[in-house]
Amino acid sequence: MSRPVDAVVFDMDGTLIESHEVVPAAYRAAVRAGGGPSYTDAEVIAGYSIGSPSDLLTHLLRRPATAADLDRYHTELAATAGRVSVYPGVAEMLADLAARVPVGVFTGASHRAAEIMLDRVGLLGHFRVVLGGDQVTRPKPAPEGVEVACRRLGVPAGRAAYVGDSPLDLRAARSSGAVAVAAAWGHQYDPAEPADLSLSRPGELLTLLS
């Protein structure tokens, strides 16, 4: 099931950009520098549902994260952002989409991290709104972030689509009333998670505008 929409909001990691090695590595480096234990990438990724980077660093460090810890994370991320790539077809799809409807991002990453990553890969200019996980009180799968992003775009969530690769993304979309669009190319995509629309290629999203 799908319906035409008046705005589109995207998840970032695993949906727009391939960053599944860079982001966990930045967390691991920040945790080591802060005197915390060692983790695998999988262990870091499993903590994404905890919330913002500050919340996840608190969990990984096993103590309250400080501003210095968060700065280390962002510094590590910026230093390795050159290894991030845009998924094939995403840039072209965004150029077409942003010329036709308001487009935004709601990501579990911090606002600072999102701007670092999107700017580095040349996508930042496509978005009217970039909302980070540190700018909402409840992380995905709560609908708050999708709702806030849509409100800032001037469109009710029920007239928008939220595109993401993970089950948390799709649950947040459904809870908000937005069209839940699965990015099947992403590394957390689970075909068992219900979606209103599953895309094998980014360009297929444009069918929602017809």
Side-chain angles (χ1 to χ4, degrees):
M1 184 277 292
S2 63
R3 60 183 184 271
V5 300
D6 299 323
V8 180
V9 180
F10 292 88
D11 171 52
M12 183 178 72
D13 299 297
T15 300
L16 300 172
I17 58 175
E18 172 56 89
S19 57
H20 79 279
E21 294 181 358
V22 169
V23 173
Y27 275 114
R28 289 191 288 106
V31 170
R32 283 197 306 272
S38 297
Y39 293 96
T40 65
D41 284 1
E43 287 171 331
V44 174
I45 292 169
Y48 284 178
S49 62
I50 290 171
S52 70
S54 181
D55 294 331
L56 180 50
L57 284 168
T58 291
H59 169 74
L60 296 172
L61 286 162
R62 301 176 186 173
R63 62 166 173 77
T66 65
D69 295 317
L70 198 57
D71 280 342
R72 286 193 199 102
Y73 165 68
H74 287 126
T75 297
E76 292 287 343
L77 195 64
T80 57
R83 291 161 41 200
V84 173
S85 60
V86 180
Y87 283 106
V90 163
E92 297 82 358
M93 174 271 292
L94 285 175
D96 193 343
L97 190 67
R100 299 163 67 181
V101 296
V103 181
V105 167
F106 167 54
T107 172
S110 67
H111 181 259
R112 180 177 170 189
E115 291 208 325
I116 288 170
M117 305 282 266
L118 293 171
D119 183 57
R120 188 62 60 89
V121 298
L123 297 182
L124 185 59
H126 292 299
F127 302 106
R128 297 191 191 181
V129 170
V130 176
L131 183 70
D134 57 338
Q135 296 176 296
V136 297
T137 58
R138 299 180 64 205
K140 298 179 250 187
E144 180 186 355
V146 178
E147 293 168 345
V148 171
C150 290
R151 187 159 59 247
R152 292 186 182 180
L153 289 173
V155 176
R159 291 293 306 170
Y162 185 60
V163 186
D165 65 311
S166 80
L168 295 179
D169 296 326
L170 299 175
R171 292 169 197 166
R174 293 197 305 272
S175 295
S176 74
V179 176
V181 181
W185 55 86
H187 65 275
Q188 293 194 73
Y189 172 65
D190 180 356
E193 184 66 30
D196 296 317
L197 183 65
S198 293
L199 308 180
S200 59
R201 295 179 297 104
E204 295 171 358
L205 181 64
L206 298 172
T207 62
L208 278 174
L209 305 185
S210 59

